[in-house]
Amino acid sequence: MDNRRILICGAGIAGPTLAYWLRAAGFTPTIVEQSPTLRSGGYVIDFWGLGYDIAGKMGLLPEISRIGYHMREMRVVNGRNERVAGFGAAIFDELTGGRFVTLARSDLSRLIFERITDHADILFGEQIVGIAPQDDGVEVTFERRDTRRFDLVIGADGLHSKVRELVFGTQDRFETALGYAAAAFEVDGYQPRDESVYVLYNRPGRMVARFALHDARTLFLFVFAIGPDDQPAPRVPEAQKAQLRRIYADARWECPRILDELDRAPTLYFDRVSQIRMDTWSRGRIALVGDAAFCPSLMAGQGSALAMTAAYVLAGELAQADGRHDEAFRAYEARLRPFIAAKQASAAHFAGLFAPKTRAGLFLRNQMLRAFGIPGLARLVIGRDLVDSLRLPAYHFAGAAS
């Protein structure tokens, strides 16, 4: 088999999934991750579709079901905590045949990572600073370690991919802003909890939601509109907290209390809501996967599942091509591009439903959510977005869990 030694940049969702399937196919993966440990915190994701199927192939579903959340309701409230819209979350189970669960993105990442810790070289607290492609390999320069040589390099390092920057160009060439930013944090002991209910409150162009997690923790998610000329999200946590306090200063409901909780948050996720759109996901011996290649935005609700799907297909095509990277990379893109493009188009439309920018938009969004209780309407409106049209190829992975 050609090109066995493969460096994967990123230990989130796509990277460890790719490492799992590459190893199952007989390759030798190495993962490099800038963070000193696996990342925690962040936000919760709704997990379904092909990603759910791949998790099943990896033997992860029992543990996902155990640590995940099975929602009862999405509830929209006003400033007096009165329910103004929403729907029963059982509709998602109906539309997906019961193959739908909500869980923390960091928990999914940890479960996947545990499948590879004994079978892959992991370089934590390190980052790539140089990539030099050659005819028969890639010389990779690290920030702290000696330069190493690999057969292939795969960037699985997310929206702000360093591999993409070094090989394809700066992020502004590929990023499409969707007009929003998002922040998320979690704290212990917040009351009330509203178990198994996703509670959200809106003002025009602003949303804040809370979600009860296990072990008396509560997750808060903010989504707010930003203008085309606004500066990128600040990187300093104190500046991020100050921006949230300024934007939500006049918001009602529980917002004053939630903003006070910012000081207790151990970590804060804060970023603009964007998509990555590229003409190609590979160049020579380097390829991209997951958000690094085609970030659909966190508003898509399926980013992690798509990352797992792409990682599975990329590993499968490399195995099927016996490591011939040119052939495998072409097949990987040809198989996934129409599917991913449709998901990105859907996500761009869906983003505005979180935080409509006008009172009229909020009214219409709430009317639509109320109407989901009408039999058959939810299937008509969102059923197509919940059903994945792509059929997973039957790749042969001798070392897979199932």
Side-chain angles (χ1 to χ4, degrees):
M1 182 184 291
D2 295 331
N3 298 321
R4 286 180 175 272
R5 298 168 301 161
I6 302 179
L7 177 65
I8 302 166
C9 183
I13 302 293
T17 304
L18 178 62
Y20 174 90
W21 291 108
L22 286 175
R23 178 187 168 275
F27 294 92
T28 304
T30 296
I31 293 181
V32 57
E33 167 57 49
Q34 182 177 0
S35 173
T37 61
L38 281 184
R39 300 177 190 271
S40 59
Y43 47 91
V44 295
I45 60 171
D46 294 324
F47 191 60
W48 79 93
L50 293 178
Y52 194 104
D53 297 339
I54 292 165
K57 293 175 182 291
M58 298 173 70
L60 297 175
L61 291 184
E63 192 68 6
I64 286 175
S65 180
R66 186 185 69 81
I67 67 174
Y69 305 88
H70 300 278
M71 300 299 299
R72 291 189 293 108
E73 180 188 0
M74 173 178 279
R75 181 187 304 163
V76 182
V77 299
N78 62 18
R80 296 182 296 278
N81 201 36
E82 299 167 337
R83 187 183 190 279
V84 296
F87 57 91
I91 185 65
F92 295 121
D93 281 335
E94 295 171 14
L95 293 174
T96 61
R99 300 172 67 80
F100 185 98
V101 66
T102 299
L103 76 162
R105 185 183 185 278
S106 57
D107 283 344
L108 178 61
S109 173
R110 175 180 56 80
L111 290 178
I112 300 169
F113 188 79
E114 288 172 352
R115 284 288 193 271
I116 63 161
T117 49
D118 296 331
H119 310 291
D121 187 16
I122 315 292
L123 310 178
F124 276 114
E126 184 60 276
Q127 64 175 328
I128 297 172
V129 296
I131 296 176
Q134 300 175 354
D135 290 342
D136 58 350
V138 184
E139 292 284 343
V140 178
T141 304
F142 297 102
E143 185 176 50
R144 297 176 179 86
R145 290 172 171 83
D146 292 338
T147 296
R148 290 176 61 177
R149 184 181 180 85
F150 297 89
D151 296 316
L152 304 174
V153 174
I154 310 296
D157 45 344
L159 173 65
H160 306 292
S161 170
K162 184 66 173 180
V163 174
R164 187 182 61 233
E165 177 185 336
L166 289 171
V167 177
F168 296 87
T170 56
Q171 181 163 323
D172 59 293
R173 294 177 55 187
F174 311 110
E175 182 178 9
T176 298
L178 298 186
Y180 292 91
F185 70 94
E186 61 183 63
V187 296
D188 294 326
Y190 184 88
Q191 294 291 336
R193 285 182 57 78
D194 294 301
E195 302 284 350
S196 303
V197 179
Y198 195 82
V199 187
L200 64 91
Y201 163 77
N202 284 100
R203 297 290 296 274
R206 289 170 288 173
M207 183 209 82
V208 61
R210 61 170 164 81
F211 182 82
L213 301 173
H214 300 310
D215 303 319
R217 294 173 297 132
T218 297
L219 171 75
F220 302 101
L221 173 66
F222 300 80
V223 178
F224 52 93
I226 56 176
D229 298 325
D230 287 353
Q231 294 299 310
R235 294 186 178 274
V236 180
E238 288 308 312
Q240 295 170 348
K241 294 176 182 180
Q243 183 170 346
L244 289 174
R245 290 188 173 107
R246 183 174 64 255
I247 291 171
Y248 288 86
D250 63 344
R252 298 173 60 193
W253 185 51
E254 300 169 11
C255 289
R257 290 174 50 210
I258 293 172
L259 292 173
D260 287 343
E261 294 287 350
L262 275 168
D263 291 329
R264 294 204 298 128
T267 60
L268 174 65
Y269 169 88
F270 195 109
D271 209 345
R272 55 188 176 269
V273 177
S274 302
Q275 293 185 339
I276 295 297
R277 301 175 185 173
M278 305 183 68
D279 292 334
T280 181
W281 300 335
S282 66
R283 179 168 293 172
R285 291 178 171 269
I286 298 97
L288 303 173
V289 68
D291 283 355
F294 53 75
C295 178
S297 89
L298 67 87
M299 299 296 129
Q302 207 176 0
S304 294
L306 294 178
M308 292 181 71
T309 302
Y312 174 85
V313 171
L314 177 55
E317 294 298 340
L318 280 166
Q320 195 159 276
D322 203 28
R324 295 184 297 276
H325 65 283
D326 288 339
E327 178 182 332
F329 291 167
R330 283 195 301 271
Y332 157 66
E333 287 202 41
R335 194 176 295 279
L336 285 179
R337 266 199 177 277
F339 174 67
I340 294 297
K343 292 293 184 180
Q344 286 187 317
S346 176
H349 169 73
F350 190 66
L353 297 180
F354 279 82
K357 297 179 181 180
T358 65
R359 291 188 181 278
L362 277 173
F363 175 79
L364 292 173
R365 190 280 310 273
N366 289 345
Q367 293 296 109
M368 183 189 72
L369 295 183
R370 290 192 193 101
F372 276 12
I374 300 173
L377 185 60
R379 181 179 296 276
L380 179 65
V381 175
I382 62 173
R384 184 176 59 182
D385 294 327
L386 287 176
V387 176
D388 288 340
S389 58
L390 179 71
R391 294 189 63 181
L392 288 177
Y395 299 119
H396 176 65
F397 293 106
S402 61

